[in-house]
Amino acid sequence: PAALSIFRPAWRRCKTCWAMLPEAARLRRLLRLEKVRAIAKQNAATEAAEAEGTLAQLEALVRRTSTLASGYRPGPTLPDGMALRDLGAFVGGLDRVVSATRGDAEQARRIADRKQQELARAERSRAAVGDRAVASRRALEQGRQQPVLGARRTVGTDLE
């Protein structure tokens, strides 16, 4: 392929191509760096998706425990004060579970937001390296092209 021809070993290049060696090495380095950054972006995307999944599970758990706790509010059907006290203790325990779950959900939201920011940062980093690699490849290809010779200057005058 023509794209890989810039990576030919140095001993197979002509004298004019010796100047291209640093540019080709730079391009190879940028392409390797782009692959590494793409892997880092993929890892960040996986972590962000896991954090979002955890957040969704915790939010669903908050809704369920809140609904459960609101269903146990004392009503007029309690037979005596002891049942009212027991129900109050049970509902108090459920309220503590709800508040702890809400705290966990808030922490999961902060983590998910941070993971999304890391994902965006990884994508910007990968895109910047990709742009530099494209620019380097263009510069290398332009350097390999034969220069266009200008029009020959006329010698003499129009009268000749």
Side-chain angles (χ1 to χ4, degrees), residues 33 36-45 47-48 110-130:
L33 185 59
V36 168
R37 299 269 170 93
I39 292 169
K41 178 189 167 249
Q42 184 64 35
N43 290 342
E47 289 176 4
R110 285 191 299 272
I111 291 171
D113 289 345
R114 190 178 71 236
K115 295 292 183 181
Q116 286 292 333
Q117 290 170 352
E118 289 173 6
L119 174 61
R121 190 177 314 119
E123 172 56 25
R124 284 192 306 269
S125 176
R126 189 212 54 79
V129 171

Side-chain angles (χ1 to χ4, degrees), residues 73-80 83-84 87:
R73 297 295 172 209
T77 59
L78 294 175
D80 58 5
L84 180 62
L87 182 64

Side-chain angles (χ1 to χ4, degrees), residues 5-22 24-25 28 144:
S5 65
I6 59 174
F7 299 122
R8 273 189 258 139
W11 64 85
R12 292 189 184 174
R13 296 175 196 254
C14 63
K15 291 179 185 176
T16 58
C17 295
W18 278 98
M20 296 294 151
L21 286 176
R28 283 193 304 270
R144 297 184 132 230

Side-chain angles (χ1 to χ4, degrees), residues 34-156:
E34 185 178 15
K35 286 179 186 177
V36 168
R37 299 269 170 93
I39 292 169
K41 178 189 167 249
Q42 184 64 35
N43 290 342
T46 302
E47 289 176 4
E50 289 173 358
E52 291 290 331
T54 302
L55 175 61
Q57 288 176 349
L58 283 171
E59 286 177 343
L61 187 60
V62 166
R63 283 191 302 274
R64 284 195 311 261
T65 54
S66 296
T67 303
L68 182 68
S70 66
Y72 281 104
R73 297 295 172 209
T77 59
L78 294 175
D80 58 5
M82 181 64 124
L84 180 62
R85 189 179 71 108
D86 289 343
L87 182 64
F90 180 71
V91 169
L94 279 178
D95 286 339
R96 286 190 296 276
V97 169
V98 169
S99 65
T101 308
R102 280 192 182 124
D104 291 344
E106 283 302 315
Q107 183 178 3
R109 182 174 289 111
R110 285 191 299 272
I111 291 171
D113 289 345
R114 190 178 71 236
K115 295 292 183 181
Q116 286 292 333
Q117 290 170 352
E118 289 173 6
L119 174 61
R121 190 177 314 119
E123 172 56 25
R124 284 192 306 269
S125 176
R126 189 212 54 79
V129 171
D131 292 344
R132 288 192 339 237
V134 167
S136 179
R137 177 173 280 141
R138 267 195 218 118
L140 191 60
E141 289 171 356
Q142 284 178 354
R144 297 184 132 230
Q145 292 177 355
Q146 293 292 335
V148 177
L149 299 176
R152 293 184 60 181
R153 256 177 67 183
T154 57
V155 178

